[in-house]
Amino acid sequence: KKICNKIHSLIEDKKMDVEEVQAMLQYDTPQAVYKIYRGEGLPTFDNILRLSVNLDVEIEEILCCKEACLGYF
């Protein structure tokens, strides 16, 4: 749920609507986006990459592990 909350927050920060996210992630319906928002499902890794590029954030930030990963790089 933490990852889903982070994704939702990042999308809101960019002021993107559900239809834009649906198109970006190549979902057939907006329900898939709402499932992420509610914490009922996670995007695939490919879609996490798309989110990273389109939201201009690092993957680690989306996965809520940026702080924890710093010691490994």
Side-chain angles (χ1 to χ4, degrees), residues 10-64:
L10 291 168
I11 289 168
E12 284 183 336
D13 290 348
K14 291 289 184 176
K15 305 208 182 322
M16 297 178 74
D17 62 32
V18 171
E19 290 79 17
E20 291 173 303
V21 178
Q22 175 188 344
M24 175 188 12
L25 301 181
Q26 302 176 351
Y27 290 146
D28 293 330
T29 65
Q31 284 78 11
V33 178
Y34 289 117
K35 280 186 174 185
I36 294 170
Y37 286 1
R38 291 190 304 265
E40 295 174 0
L42 288 170
T44 63
F45 189 73
D46 288 345
N47 280 337
I48 290 174
L49 288 173
R50 284 187 184 99
L51 287 165
S52 174
V53 170
N54 287 285
L55 300 175
D56 194 32
V57 296
E58 296 176 13
I59 292 171
E60 294 87 357
E61 185 173 349
I62 293 172
L63 299 178
C64 305

